[in-house]
């Protein structure tokens, strides 16, 4: 399939993203992977590549056979709170074949599942003041075009509802939501400055016929839409990546 991406965050965790550049030699990819576990999580792409190779899917490379192309984005979902158990690189993983089989059955699982299991939002006041993020999906149609979106939300900023009010985000000592943008505007430090970073990965898809330049423009448009719902968006500690 053709695909492209837009990178908005400055703390991304990715693999094979170069292959999505419209000027790259590889003009098609075989899968897109969104996963948790930071850089450790990118190892899951090895399992996806094996699964694809077993089914004859990949870039033909002559007598060497095929190489499945799997652009990957990870989220940083470790618990950085004081006293938290060290989990980097130690998490148990679901067998790739089982996960791929489950992904094609029925409705898309949402919430604290898959790549979104450890996702949180609203980290302005630190990990203990954040709220759960996770996986979400939506679809809309216009004429004969249907656009679907799958989001793994793990943002530093707060999440706004349709009226522009924070619906999820950083919580103060009394449990009320704190204005994250105002917090940073005052020069207040972010917990990630103590050695952490947060990543956000999103994927949009549609069934219109677009070349890779058009898909790249679509990915940027999706990033603009996300900036209306995540405040602040694309911070130094976010790794916002949009695939289209």
């Amino acid at each position: 399939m053709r695909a492209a991406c837009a990178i908005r965050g400055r703390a991304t965790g990715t693999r094979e993203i170069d292959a999505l550049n419209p000027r790259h030699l590889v003009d098609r990819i075989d899968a897109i992977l969104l996963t948790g576990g930071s850089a450790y999580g990118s190892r899951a792409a090895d399992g996806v590549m094996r699964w694809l190779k077993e089914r004859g899917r990949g870039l033909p490379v002559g007598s060497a056979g095929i190489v499945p192309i799997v652009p990957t984005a990870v989220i940083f979902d470790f618990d950085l709170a004081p006293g938290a158990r060290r989990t980097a690189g130690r998490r148990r993983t679901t067998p790739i074949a089982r996960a791929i089989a489950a992904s094609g059955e029925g409705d898309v699982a949402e919430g604290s599942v898959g790549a979104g299991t450890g996702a949180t939002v609203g980290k302005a006041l630190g990990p203990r003041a954040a709220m759960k993020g996770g996986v979400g999906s939506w679809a809309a149609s216009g004429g004969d075009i249907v656009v679907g979106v799958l989001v793994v939300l793990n943002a530093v900023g707060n999440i706004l509802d349709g009226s522009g009010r924070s619906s999820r985000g950083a919580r103060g000592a009394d449990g009320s939501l704190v204005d994250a943008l105002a917090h940073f505007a005052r020069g207040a430090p972010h917990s990630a400055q103590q050695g952490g970073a947060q990543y956000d990965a999103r994927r949009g898809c549609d069934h219109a016929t677009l070349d890779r330049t058009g898909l790249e423009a679509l990915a940027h448009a999706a990033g603009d839409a996300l900036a209306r719902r995540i405040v602040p968006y694309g911070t130094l500690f976010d790794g916002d990546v949009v695939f289209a």
Side-chain angles (χ1 to χ4, degrees):
M1 62 180 173
R2 289 187 299 272
C5 76
I7 297 177
R8 296 296 187 90
R10 288 170 284 172
T12 51
T14 62
R15 168 173 163 165
E16 287 275 28
I17 292 295
D18 287 351
L20 296 172
N21 189 311
R23 295 180 294 277
H24 197 278
L25 171 67
V26 175
D27 63 352
R28 291 179 179 272
I29 65 171
D30 300 288
I32 290 175
L33 174 65
L34 307 179
T35 183
S38 189
Y40 294 106
S42 64
R43 294 178 299 187
D46 294 337
V48 176
M49 290 180 66
R50 284 194 297 271
W51 187 91
L52 290 165
K53 184 178 180 181
E54 290 168 358
R55 288 155 180 79
R57 295 169 57 182
L59 175 71
V61 288
S63 60
I66 58 174
V67 178
I69 306 300
V70 184
T72 299
V74 305
I75 67 168
F76 187 100
D77 50 3
F78 302 145
D79 188 346
L80 301 179
R85 184 167 59 92
R86 293 181 180 271
T87 57
R90 300 181 182 178
R91 63 174 56 199
R92 298 175 64 184
T93 57
T94 301
I96 294 298
R98 188 194 313 167
I100 293 175
S103 68
E105 298 175 357
D107 296 334
V108 175
E110 297 180 296
S112 296
V113 296
T117 300
T120 55
V121 298
K123 303 179 179 73
L125 301 182
R128 286 291 180 258
M131 300 177 72
K132 284 296 299 178
V135 176
S137 64
W138 192 252
S141 62
D144 59 352
I145 302 298
V146 178
V147 177
V149 177
L150 176 68
V151 180
V152 181
L153 186 59
N154 187 58
V156 168
N158 288 1
I159 310 305
L160 308 185
D161 61 20
S163 67
R165 296 180 179 179
S166 291
S167 61
R168 300 186 70 80
R171 295 168 295 180
D174 61 356
S176 61
L177 292 175
V178 173
D179 187 329
L181 196 59
H183 174 78
F184 289 129
R186 291 193 296 269
H190 177 264
S191 63
Q193 292 175 345
Q194 306 302 317
Q198 315 304 329
Y199 299 123
D200 227 353
R202 292 95 178 215
R203 179 173 182 240
C205 56
D206 66 78
H207 66 259
T209 301
L210 297 173
D211 60 19
R212 290 202 293 174
T213 301
L215 288 167
E216 187 176 59
L218 178 62
H220 280 287
D224 293 340
L226 288 164
R228 299 175 62 183
R229 290 289 182 264
I230 303 171
V231 178
Y233 175 70
T235 74
L236 179 63
F237 307 106
D238 281 304
D240 306 279
V241 180
V242 184
F243 297 99

